[in-house]
Amino acid sequence: MSRSWSSGTTPFDRLTSHYDDVDLKCPSCGYEDEDGHWKAETNGDTVLYRHLCPSCGSIRKRTLKLRS
Ligand SMILES: [Zn+2]
């Protein structure tokens, strides 16, 4: 892995902050996780987002391709 995502403004940073503000309501129990956020990981080509519902423990996942 030669690319660093740790500093500056990258597409990854923008995607991460974007998902921080949307869709934090759990579809399983309806809990709105206002203080929560999606955690993002990347392997360089794909971003994997995860959100753990603090109420029912349901884990949602999303993937997003950075490049095609
Ligand atoms: Zn839930």
Side-chain angles (χ1 to χ4, degrees):
M1 185 120 168
S2 59
R3 192 179 292 247
S4 173
W5 300 100
S6 59
S7 64
T9 301
T10 65
F12 182 58
D13 291 331
R14 288 198 294 276
L15 291 166
T16 304
S17 55
H18 175 70
Y19 272 114
D20 271 350
D21 293 333
V22 299
D23 194 19
L24 289 168
K25 187 170 183 177
C26 176
S28 297
C29 70
Y31 181 82
E32 188 135 9
D33 188 12
E34 290 181 3
D35 295 326
H37 54 87
W38 289 81
K39 287 189 177 178
E41 300 170 8
T42 183
N43 62 11
D45 294 324
T46 305
V47 183
L48 171 65
Y49 295 95
R50 258 184 288 209
H51 177 254
L52 171 67
C53 176
S55 179
C56 73
S58 172
I59 298 173
R60 285 185 290 158
K61 292 179 185 176
R62 282 183 176 180
T63 55
L64 193 74
K65 291 252 184 196
L66 289 176
R67 296 190 287 260
S68 55

